[in-house]
Amino acid sequence: MSRINGFVGRRNLLKLVGVGGAGIAATAASGVLWSEDKAVAQQQSTPVQKPQPVSPDAAIKRLVEGNKRFIDGKRLNPNQSKLRLQETAVAQYPFAAILGCADSRVPGEIVFDQGLGDLFVVRLAGNIVAQEAIGSLEFATAVLGAQTIMVLGHTKCGAVSAAIKGDPLPGRIGIFVEEIKPAVERVRKKTGNIEENAVIANVQYQVGRLAESSTILASLIKEGKLKIVGGYYDLATGKVNMIS
């Protein structure tokens, strides 16, 4: 069995979800699995010792600790040396994946004080669960071995604000906004700040969609190899609050 960081490779990925069942998402089949052979070749050729896989809880702890260093002004800037650059040119072993907003003010590696090869980051406006995002995160977890996925929303999110207003939008901007509207409707009548409530509701909604939309991720969760959690980033303070 081909394994990377304790996880199955392409040849056994079908077994993970069951041949003839719901099947692997189209994105995984066409956009993810084709490149797994390259990943395997890279991993096998590296002279660097593979790190021991962390647990989902340990991965979350590393993210929380990194964010605390960031907000305290005590960043370590880990894994950013020339040696690390050379190591990650041959192989990658991210311990966590982030589904974040494309907002320029929320760069995952910086706010969690991580370095090259530590995080597998997927960024889309509104941190929505698009098919391409699902495929990328299936690759990050089932192939590369990331053991937690954080869906990261943030204050003053323009995509969420647009979903609240509901006005017609030009071009394809409305496509991702539509993916946020169900979350907005959950809190439209809730007391308090509707934008803050909607950002949190959207994170919770996207966390649920991610787990429900992928048989691969669902299987990893069932086996205790993966946790999907939510986070809420404050642009003013830099703090990430965990969302249950």
Side-chain angles (χ1 to χ4, degrees):
M1 178 180 286
S2 171
R3 286 181 175 268
I4 301 175
N5 203 9
F7 286 78
V8 298
R10 177 170 67 103
R11 296 174 184 83
N12 295 286
L13 204 52
L14 289 175
K15 295 179 182 179
L16 185 65
V17 297
V19 178
I24 298 175
T27 52
S30 62
V32 175
L33 299 185
W34 69 270
S35 62
E36 191 266 348
D37 284 335
K38 285 186 177 181
V40 172
Q42 289 177 341
Q43 304 284 0
Q44 291 175 341
S45 64
T46 177
V48 181
Q49 185 177 0
K50 294 180 182 179
Q52 290 295 318
V54 299
S55 69
D57 287 338
I60 294 169
K61 185 172 183 286
R62 285 179 65 176
L63 291 175
V64 171
E65 290 175 345
N67 179 243
K68 187 175 187 307
R69 293 194 301 270
F70 172 68
I71 61 179
D72 290 344
K74 297 179 180 179
R75 288 173 58 197
L76 299 178
N77 299 313
N79 294 328
Q80 297 179 28
S81 66
K82 184 66 175 293
L83 175 60
R84 181 65 169 181
L85 184 68
Q86 295 169 345
E87 289 175 348
T88 53
V90 181
Q92 61 170 320
Y93 305 100
F95 71 87
I98 307 292
L99 174 57
C101 182
D103 193 295
S104 63
R105 299 166 291 181
V106 196
E109 289 87 353
I110 294 177
V111 303
F112 290 111
D113 191 28
Q114 302 300 323
L116 296 167
D118 290 332
L119 302 179
F120 191 99
V121 181
V122 179
R123 298 177 68 179
L124 292 167
N127 41 274
I128 63 169
V129 176
Q131 290 299 308
E132 293 80 2
I134 295 172
S136 295
L137 293 170
E138 287 175 339
F139 179 76
T141 53
V143 178
L144 298 181
Q147 292 206 336
T148 192
I149 298 172
M150 177 179 285
V151 178
L152 185 62
H154 65 92
T155 57
K156 299 182 181 179
C157 179
V160 173
S161 296
I164 293 171
K165 293 178 181 177
D167 296 334
L169 296 165
R172 299 188 180 184
I173 299 175
I175 295 175
F176 62 80
V177 172
E178 288 298 319
E179 299 298 325
I180 302 172
K181 287 183 177 180
V184 171
E185 293 309 310
R186 290 182 178 182
V187 297
R188 180 131 352 231
K189 296 181 180 180
K190 185 178 178 180
T191 59
N193 186 296
I194 187 171
E195 288 200 2
E196 180 177 345
N197 292 339
V199 168
I200 293 172
N202 183 49
V203 169
Q204 294 169 328
Y205 176 66
Q206 303 301 337
V207 166
R209 286 194 64 213
L210 195 55
E212 295 168 0
S213 301
S214 169
T215 52
I216 293 175
L217 299 181
S219 294
L220 291 173
I221 292 171
K222 185 177 180 180
E223 293 173 11
K225 295 179 178 179
L226 175 68
K227 282 189 177 182
I228 303 177
V229 297
Y232 178 61
Y233 179 74
D234 189 321
L235 291 176
T237 66
K239 182 175 176 56
V240 175
N241 292 291
M242 301 297 291
I243 298 175
S244 58

mmCIF file of all heavy atoms in Angstrom, residues 102-146:
data_model
loop_
_atom_site.group_PDB
_atom_site.id
_atom_site.type_symbol
_atom_site.label_atom_id
_atom_site.label_comp_id
_atom_site.label_asym_id
_atom_site.label_seq_id
_atom_site.Cartn_x
_atom_site.Cartn_y
_atom_site.Cartn_z
ATOM 1 N N ALA A 102 -10.340 34.908 0.238
ATOM 2 C CA ALA A 102 -9.270 35.455 -0.598
ATOM 3 C C ALA A 102 -8.880 36.870 -0.197
ATOM 4 O O ALA A 102 -7.955 37.440 -0.784
ATOM 5 C CB ALA A 102 -9.707 35.433 -2.069
ATOM 6 N N ASP A 103 -9.524 37.417 0.804
ATOM 7 C CA ASP A 103 -9.220 38.770 1.285
ATOM 8 C C ASP A 103 -7.722 38.912 1.544
ATOM 9 O O ASP A 103 -7.114 38.092 2.232
ATOM 10 C CB ASP A 103 -10.011 39.030 2.572
ATOM 11 C CG ASP A 103 -10.002 40.491 2.970
ATOM 12 O OD1 ASP A 103 -8.909 41.013 3.291
ATOM 13 O OD2 ASP A 103 -11.070 41.124 2.983
ATOM 14 N N SER A 104 -7.131 39.977 1.023
ATOM 15 C CA SER A 104 -5.684 40.177 1.117
ATOM 16 C C SER A 104 -5.189 40.389 2.533
ATOM 17 O O SER A 104 -3.990 40.308 2.810
ATOM 18 C CB SER A 104 -5.272 41.382 0.262
ATOM 19 O OG SER A 104 -5.869 42.575 0.743
ATOM 20 N N ARG A 105 -6.109 40.646 3.463
ATOM 21 C CA ARG A 105 -5.731 40.929 4.845
ATOM 22 C C ARG A 105 -5.703 39.683 5.734
ATOM 23 O O ARG A 105 -5.435 39.788 6.932
ATOM 24 C CB ARG A 105 -6.712 41.958 5.443
ATOM 25 C CG ARG A 105 -6.720 43.284 4.709
ATOM 26 C CD ARG A 105 -7.923 44.133 5.102
ATOM 27 N NE ARG A 105 -9.176 43.561 4.610
ATOM 28 C CZ ARG A 105 -10.368 44.113 4.793
ATOM 29 N NH1 ARG A 105 -10.456 45.257 5.470
ATOM 30 N NH2 ARG A 105 -11.460 43.539 4.321
ATOM 31 N N VAL A 106 -5.952 38.511 5.135
ATOM 32 C CA VAL A 106 -6.026 37.289 5.940
ATOM 33 C C VAL A 106 -5.130 36.193 5.359
ATOM 34 O O VAL A 106 -5.610 35.142 4.920
ATOM 35 C CB VAL A 106 -7.480 36.778 6.049
ATOM 36 C CG1 VAL A 106 -7.597 35.768 7.199
ATOM 37 C CG2 VAL A 106 -8.463 37.911 6.261
ATOM 38 N N PRO A 107 -3.815 36.407 5.314
ATOM 39 C CA PRO A 107 -2.902 35.371 4.814
ATOM 40 C C PRO A 107 -2.655 34.307 5.890
ATOM 41 O O PRO A 107 -2.115 34.598 6.959
ATOM 42 C CB PRO A 107 -1.627 36.158 4.501
ATOM 43 C CG PRO A 107 -1.659 37.308 5.450
ATOM 44 C CD PRO A 107 -3.108 37.649 5.675
ATOM 45 N N GLY A 108 -3.053 33.085 5.611
ATOM 46 C CA GLY A 108 -3.019 32.028 6.607
ATOM 47 C C GLY A 108 -1.659 31.770 7.234
ATOM 48 O O GLY A 108 -1.536 31.644 8.455
ATOM 49 N N GLU A 109 -0.609 31.716 6.413
ATOM 50 C CA GLU A 109 0.716 31.410 6.952
ATOM 51 C C GLU A 109 1.197 32.477 7.936
ATOM 52 O O GLU A 109 1.907 32.175 8.891
ATOM 53 C CB GLU A 109 1.735 31.275 5.807
ATOM 54 C CG GLU A 109 1.560 30.033 4.947
ATOM 55 C CD GLU A 109 0.568 30.243 3.813
ATOM 56 O OE1 GLU A 109 -0.090 31.317 3.780
ATOM 57 O OE2 GLU A 109 0.434 29.338 2.970
ATOM 58 N N ILE A 110 0.800 33.723 7.702
ATOM 59 C CA ILE A 110 1.243 34.805 8.583
ATOM 60 C C ILE A 110 0.445 34.818 9.879
ATOM 61 O O ILE A 110 1.012 34.874 10.973
ATOM 62 C CB ILE A 110 1.133 36.168 7.871
ATOM 63 C CG1 ILE A 110 2.126 36.230 6.695
ATOM 64 C CG2 ILE A 110 1.389 37.311 8.845
ATOM 65 C CD1 ILE A 110 2.050 37.512 5.886
ATOM 66 N N VAL A 111 -0.882 34.760 9.794
ATOM 67 C CA VAL A 111 -1.700 34.883 11.002
ATOM 68 C C VAL A 111 -1.562 33.672 11.916
ATOM 69 O O VAL A 111 -1.859 33.761 13.121
ATOM 70 C CB VAL A 111 -3.178 35.134 10.660
ATOM 71 C CG1 VAL A 111 -3.324 36.374 9.793
ATOM 72 C CG2 VAL A 111 -3.820 33.933 9.997
ATOM 73 N N PHE A 112 -1.094 32.543 11.369
ATOM 74 C CA PHE A 112 -0.845 31.368 12.212
ATOM 75 C C PHE A 112 0.646 31.134 12.457
ATOM 76 O O PHE A 112 1.027 30.123 13.035
ATOM 77 C CB PHE A 112 -1.470 30.121 11.584
ATOM 78 C CG PHE A 112 -2.978 30.111 11.628
ATOM 79 C CD1 PHE A 112 -3.717 30.237 10.462
ATOM 80 C CD2 PHE A 112 -3.647 29.997 12.834
ATOM 81 C CE1 PHE A 112 -5.106 30.232 10.504
ATOM 82 C CE2 PHE A 112 -5.035 29.993 12.885
ATOM 83 C CZ PHE A 112 -5.766 30.115 11.718
ATOM 84 N N ASP A 113 1.480 32.057 12.015
ATOM 85 C CA ASP A 113 2.932 31.987 12.223
ATOM 86 C C ASP A 113 3.495 30.635 11.806
ATOM 87 O O ASP A 113 4.114 29.921 12.602
ATOM 88 C CB ASP A 113 3.291 32.289 13.680
ATOM 89 C CG ASP A 113 4.803 32.497 13.864
ATOM 90 O OD1 ASP A 113 5.471 32.920 12.905
ATOM 91 O OD2 ASP A 113 5.301 32.230 14.986
ATOM 92 N N GLN A 114 3.289 30.288 10.562
ATOM 93 C CA GLN A 114 3.805 29.038 10.013
ATOM 94 C C GLN A 114 4.707 29.343 8.818
ATOM 95 O O GLN A 114 4.824 30.486 8.385
ATOM 96 C CB GLN A 114 2.651 28.118 9.606
ATOM 97 C CG GLN A 114 1.697 27.770 10.740
ATOM 98 C CD GLN A 114 2.368 27.054 11.896
ATOM 99 O OE1 GLN A 114 3.273 26.234 11.707
ATOM 100 N NE2 GLN A 114 1.931 27.355 13.116
ATOM 101 N N GLY A 115 5.354 28.300 8.297
ATOM 102 C CA GLY A 115 6.311 28.515 7.225
ATOM 103 C C GLY A 115 6.057 27.664 6.004
ATOM 104 O O GLY A 115 4.952 27.139 5.799
ATOM 105 N N LEU A 116 7.090 27.497 5.209
ATOM 106 C CA LEU A 116 7.000 26.746 3.968
ATOM 107 C C LEU A 116 6.612 25.295 4.257
ATOM 108 O O LEU A 116 7.216 24.626 5.081
ATOM 109 C CB LEU A 116 8.334 26.777 3.230
ATOM 110 C CG LEU A 116 8.813 28.154 2.752
ATOM 111 C CD1 LEU A 116 10.269 28.083 2.320
ATOM 112 C CD2 LEU A 116 7.938 28.656 1.615
ATOM 113 N N GLY A 117 5.595 24.827 3.566
ATOM 114 C CA GLY A 117 5.202 23.435 3.677
ATOM 115 C C GLY A 117 4.372 23.079 4.890
ATOM 116 O O GLY A 117 4.011 21.916 5.073
ATOM 117 N N ASP A 118 4.041 24.059 5.742
ATOM 118 C CA ASP A 118 3.287 23.762 6.960
ATOM 119 C C ASP A 118 1.782 23.706 6.723
ATOM 120 O O ASP A 118 1.083 22.888 7.323
ATOM 121 C CB ASP A 118 3.568 24.812 8.038
ATOM 122 C CG ASP A 118 4.982 24.711 8.593
ATOM 123 O OD1 ASP A 118 5.537 23.606 8.578
ATOM 124 O OD2 ASP A 118 5.519 25.741 9.038
ATOM 125 N N LEU A 119 1.284 24.605 5.877
ATOM 126 C CA LEU A 119 -0.152 24.705 5.651
ATOM 127 C C LEU A 119 -0.482 24.541 4.174
ATOM 128 O O LEU A 119 0.224 25.049 3.305
ATOM 129 C CB LEU A 119 -0.678 26.063 6.120
ATOM 130 C CG LEU A 119 -0.451 26.433 7.585
ATOM 131 C CD1 LEU A 119 -1.016 27.831 7.859
ATOM 132 C CD2 LEU A 119 -1.086 25.418 8.517
ATOM 133 N N PHE A 120 -1.576 23.843 3.906
ATOM 134 C CA PHE A 120 -2.107 23.726 2.559
ATOM 135 C C PHE A 120 -3.301 24.673 2.514
ATOM 136 O O PHE A 120 -4.338 24.415 3.122
ATOM 137 C CB PHE A 120 -2.541 22.279 2.293
ATOM 138 C CG PHE A 120 -2.863 21.995 0.856
ATOM 139 C CD1 PHE A 120 -1.931 21.378 0.028
ATOM 140 C CD2 PHE A 120 -4.103 22.316 0.329
ATOM 141 C CE1 PHE A 120 -2.235 21.093 -1.298
ATOM 142 C CE2 PHE A 120 -4.408 22.049 -0.997
ATOM 143 C CZ PHE A 120 -3.475 21.434 -1.808
ATOM 144 N N VAL A 121 -3.140 25.793 1.814
ATOM 145 C CA VAL A 121 -4.121 26.871 1.897
ATOM 146 C C VAL A 121 -4.923 26.997 0.604
ATOM 147 O O VAL A 121 -4.362 27.115 -0.488
ATOM 148 C CB VAL A 121 -3.433 28.216 2.208
ATOM 149 C CG1 VAL A 121 -4.471 29.325 2.323
ATOM 150 C CG2 VAL A 121 -2.627 28.117 3.505
ATOM 151 N N VAL A 122 -6.240 26.967 0.749
ATOM 152 C CA VAL A 122 -7.171 27.186 -0.357
ATOM 153 C C VAL A 122 -7.944 28.460 -0.023
ATOM 154 O O VAL A 122 -8.539 28.562 1.052
ATOM 155 C CB VAL A 122 -8.149 26.009 -0.512
ATOM 156 C CG1 VAL A 122 -9.137 26.270 -1.652
ATOM 157 C CG2 VAL A 122 -7.389 24.707 -0.747
ATOM 158 N N ARG A 123 -7.929 29.414 -0.942
ATOM 159 C CA ARG A 123 -8.582 30.698 -0.651
ATOM 160 C C ARG A 123 -9.569 31.074 -1.747
ATOM 161 O O ARG A 123 -9.220 31.139 -2.931
ATOM 162 C CB ARG A 123 -7.538 31.807 -0.470
ATOM 163 C CG ARG A 123 -6.603 31.563 0.701
ATOM 164 C CD ARG A 123 -5.529 32.621 0.826
ATOM 165 N NE ARG A 123 -6.083 33.927 1.202
ATOM 166 C CZ ARG A 123 -5.326 35.004 1.382
ATOM 167 N NH1 ARG A 123 -4.015 34.953 1.190
ATOM 168 N NH2 ARG A 123 -5.888 36.152 1.733
ATOM 169 N N LEU A 124 -10.802 31.300 -1.331
ATOM 170 C CA LEU A 124 -11.870 31.740 -2.224
ATOM 171 C C LEU A 124 -12.663 32.827 -1.511
ATOM 172 O O LEU A 124 -12.838 32.767 -0.291
ATOM 173 C CB LEU A 124 -12.823 30.584 -2.566
ATOM 174 C CG LEU A 124 -12.258 29.445 -3.424
ATOM 175 C CD1 LEU A 124 -13.206 28.258 -3.388
ATOM 176 C CD2 LEU A 124 -12.068 29.912 -4.857
ATOM 177 N N ALA A 125 -13.135 33.807 -2.245
ATOM 178 C CA ALA A 125 -13.931 34.866 -1.630
ATOM 179 C C ALA A 125 -15.085 34.262 -0.838
ATOM 180 O O ALA A 125 -15.823 33.422 -1.337
ATOM 181 C CB ALA A 125 -14.458 35.813 -2.708
ATOM 182 N N GLY A 126 -15.212 34.679 0.408
ATOM 183 C CA GLY A 126 -16.287 34.168 1.248
ATOM 184 C C GLY A 126 -16.012 32.794 1.824
ATOM 185 O O GLY A 126 -16.901 32.184 2.409
ATOM 186 N N ASN A 127 -14.777 32.286 1.662
ATOM 187 C CA ASN A 127 -14.392 30.946 2.133
ATOM 188 C C ASN A 127 -15.478 29.905 1.867
ATOM 189 O O ASN A 127 -15.897 29.148 2.749
ATOM 190 C CB ASN A 127 -14.006 30.951 3.626
ATOM 191 C CG ASN A 127 -14.892 31.791 4.520
ATOM 192 O OD1 ASN A 127 -14.648 32.990 4.658
ATOM 193 N ND2 ASN A 127 -15.888 31.178 5.132
ATOM 194 N N ILE A 128 -15.930 29.875 0.607
ATOM 195 C CA ILE A 128 -17.025 28.981 0.243
ATOM 196 C C ILE A 128 -16.511 27.611 -0.169
ATOM 197 O O ILE A 128 -15.371 27.452 -0.611
ATOM 198 C CB ILE A 128 -17.881 29.575 -0.892
ATOM 199 C CG1 ILE A 128 -17.048 29.738 -2.180
ATOM 200 C CG2 ILE A 128 -18.509 30.892 -0.474
ATOM 201 C CD1 ILE A 128 -17.887 30.058 -3.403
ATOM 202 N N VAL A 129 -17.379 26.613 -0.047
ATOM 203 C CA VAL A 129 -17.040 25.244 -0.410
ATOM 204 C C VAL A 129 -17.423 25.008 -1.869
ATOM 205 O O VAL A 129 -18.499 24.491 -2.174
ATOM 206 C CB VAL A 129 -17.737 24.235 0.525
ATOM 207 C CG1 VAL A 129 -17.455 22.803 0.080
ATOM 208 C CG2 VAL A 129 -17.265 24.436 1.957
ATOM 209 N N ALA A 130 -16.553 25.416 -2.774
ATOM 210 C CA ALA A 130 -16.732 25.135 -4.193
ATOM 211 C C ALA A 130 -16.165 23.749 -4.505
ATOM 212 O O ALA A 130 -15.390 23.194 -3.723
ATOM 213 C CB ALA A 130 -16.018 26.197 -5.030
ATOM 214 N N GLN A 131 -16.542 23.193 -5.646
ATOM 215 C CA GLN A 131 -16.060 21.861 -6.017
ATOM 216 C C GLN A 131 -14.538 21.812 -6.106
ATOM 217 O O GLN A 131 -13.908 20.835 -5.690
ATOM 218 C CB GLN A 131 -16.678 21.434 -7.355
ATOM 219 C CG GLN A 131 -18.161 21.130 -7.283
ATOM 220 C CD GLN A 131 -18.465 19.984 -6.333
ATOM 221 O OE1 GLN A 131 -17.878 18.915 -6.424
ATOM 222 N NE2 GLN A 131 -19.380 20.214 -5.403
ATOM 223 N N GLU A 132 -13.952 22.880 -6.627
ATOM 224 C CA GLU A 132 -12.492 22.922 -6.731
ATOM 225 C C GLU A 132 -11.841 22.918 -5.351
ATOM 226 O O GLU A 132 -10.785 22.321 -5.147
ATOM 227 C CB GLU A 132 -12.053 24.158 -7.508
ATOM 228 C CG GLU A 132 -12.449 24.164 -8.980
ATOM 229 C CD GLU A 132 -13.888 24.567 -9.226
ATOM 230 O OE1 GLU A 132 -14.599 24.896 -8.254
ATOM 231 O OE2 GLU A 132 -14.310 24.575 -10.394
ATOM 232 N N ALA A 133 -12.474 23.580 -4.407
ATOM 233 C CA ALA A 133 -11.950 23.598 -3.040
ATOM 234 C C ALA A 133 -12.032 22.213 -2.418
ATOM 235 O O ALA A 133 -11.106 21.763 -1.731
ATOM 236 C CB ALA A 133 -12.724 24.606 -2.192
ATOM 237 N N ILE A 134 -13.137 21.516 -2.650
ATOM 238 C CA ILE A 134 -13.297 20.157 -2.114
ATOM 239 C C ILE A 134 -12.191 19.255 -2.639
ATOM 240 O O ILE A 134 -11.540 18.527 -1.875
ATOM 241 C CB ILE A 134 -14.672 19.581 -2.481
ATOM 242 C CG1 ILE A 134 -15.785 20.385 -1.804
ATOM 243 C CG2 ILE A 134 -14.761 18.111 -2.060
ATOM 244 C CD1 ILE A 134 -17.175 20.011 -2.274
ATOM 245 N N GLY A 135 -11.965 19.286 -3.942
ATOM 246 C CA GLY A 135 -10.923 18.444 -4.526
ATOM 247 C C GLY A 135 -9.552 18.758 -3.966
ATOM 248 O O GLY A 135 -8.764 17.854 -3.662
ATOM 249 N N SER A 136 -9.250 20.033 -3.815
ATOM 250 C CA SER A 136 -7.954 20.431 -3.269
ATOM 251 C C SER A 136 -7.781 19.939 -1.836
ATOM 252 O O SER A 136 -6.706 19.462 -1.449
ATOM 253 C CB SER A 136 -7.817 21.956 -3.304
ATOM 254 O OG SER A 136 -7.804 22.432 -4.631
ATOM 255 N N LEU A 137 -8.841 20.025 -1.042
ATOM 256 C CA LEU A 137 -8.756 19.606 0.354
ATOM 257 C C LEU A 137 -8.740 18.086 0.488
ATOM 258 O O LEU A 137 -8.152 17.547 1.427
ATOM 259 C CB LEU A 137 -9.909 20.221 1.151
ATOM 260 C CG LEU A 137 -9.826 21.745 1.274
ATOM 261 C CD1 LEU A 137 -11.118 22.317 1.851
ATOM 262 C CD2 LEU A 137 -8.626 22.162 2.122
ATOM 263 N N GLU A 138 -9.378 17.380 -0.435
ATOM 264 C CA GLU A 138 -9.261 15.919 -0.457
ATOM 265 C C GLU A 138 -7.807 15.519 -0.701
ATOM 266 O O GLU A 138 -7.281 14.595 -0.068
ATOM 267 C CB GLU A 138 -10.167 15.334 -1.550
ATOM 268 C CG GLU A 138 -11.646 15.382 -1.205
ATOM 269 C CD GLU A 138 -12.525 14.922 -2.345
ATOM 270 O OE1 GLU A 138 -12.068 14.932 -3.512
ATOM 271 O OE2 GLU A 138 -13.691 14.559 -2.084
ATOM 272 N N PHE A 139 -7.160 16.214 -1.609
ATOM 273 C CA PHE A 139 -5.754 15.947 -1.896
ATOM 274 C C PHE A 139 -4.883 16.252 -0.675
ATOM 275 O O PHE A 139 -3.994 15.480 -0.314
ATOM 276 C CB PHE A 139 -5.302 16.789 -3.093
ATOM 277 C CG PHE A 139 -3.858 16.604 -3.459
ATOM 278 C CD1 PHE A 139 -3.429 15.474 -4.122
ATOM 279 C CD2 PHE A 139 -2.918 17.569 -3.135
ATOM 280 C CE1 PHE A 139 -2.095 15.294 -4.455
ATOM 281 C CE2 PHE A 139 -1.579 17.412 -3.464
ATOM 282 C CZ PHE A 139 -1.167 16.257 -4.128
ATOM 283 N N ALA A 140 -5.149 17.390 -0.029
ATOM 284 C CA ALA A 140 -4.351 17.806 1.127
ATOM 285 C C ALA A 140 -4.431 16.805 2.262
ATOM 286 O O ALA A 140 -3.443 16.561 2.967
ATOM 287 C CB ALA A 140 -4.813 19.176 1.615
ATOM 288 N N THR A 141 -5.596 16.197 2.440
ATOM 289 C CA THR A 141 -5.793 15.296 3.576
ATOM 290 C C THR A 141 -5.500 13.844 3.222
ATOM 291 O O THR A 141 -4.678 13.195 3.870
ATOM 292 C CB THR A 141 -7.233 15.423 4.098
ATOM 293 O OG1 THR A 141 -8.165 15.231 3.020
ATOM 294 C CG2 THR A 141 -7.462 16.791 4.706
ATOM 295 N N ALA A 142 -6.145 13.312 2.203
ATOM 296 C CA ALA A 142 -6.024 11.890 1.882
ATOM 297 C C ALA A 142 -4.667 11.536 1.296
ATOM 298 O O ALA A 142 -4.186 10.418 1.472
ATOM 299 C CB ALA A 142 -7.128 11.476 0.901
ATOM 300 N N VAL A 143 -4.029 12.465 0.607
ATOM 301 C CA VAL A 143 -2.750 12.181 -0.041
ATOM 302 C C VAL A 143 -1.574 12.761 0.741
ATOM 303 O O VAL A 143 -0.602 12.063 1.032
ATOM 304 C CB VAL A 143 -2.735 12.713 -1.498
ATOM 305 C CG1 VAL A 143 -1.382 12.449 -2.145
ATOM 306 C CG2 VAL A 143 -3.840 12.041 -2.312
ATOM 307 N N LEU A 144 -1.657 14.034 1.112
ATOM 308 C CA LEU A 144 -0.533 14.687 1.783
ATOM 309 C C LEU A 144 -0.535 14.497 3.295
ATOM 310 O O LEU A 144 0.487 14.678 3.943
ATOM 311 C CB LEU A 144 -0.514 16.183 1.452
ATOM 312 C CG LEU A 144 -0.323 16.532 -0.021
ATOM 313 C CD1 LEU A 144 -0.305 18.044 -0.209
ATOM 314 C CD2 LEU A 144 0.944 15.908 -0.588
ATOM 315 N N GLY A 145 -1.678 14.169 3.872
ATOM 316 C CA GLY A 145 -1.714 13.825 5.288
ATOM 317 C C GLY A 145 -2.087 14.928 6.246
ATOM 318 O O GLY A 145 -1.925 14.769 7.463
ATOM 319 N N ALA A 146 -2.580 16.071 5.768
ATOM 320 C CA ALA A 146 -3.045 17.113 6.692
ATOM 321 C C ALA A 146 -4.178 16.553 7.543
ATOM 322 O O ALA A 146 -5.079 15.899 7.025
ATOM 323 C CB ALA A 146 -3.525 18.337 5.915
#
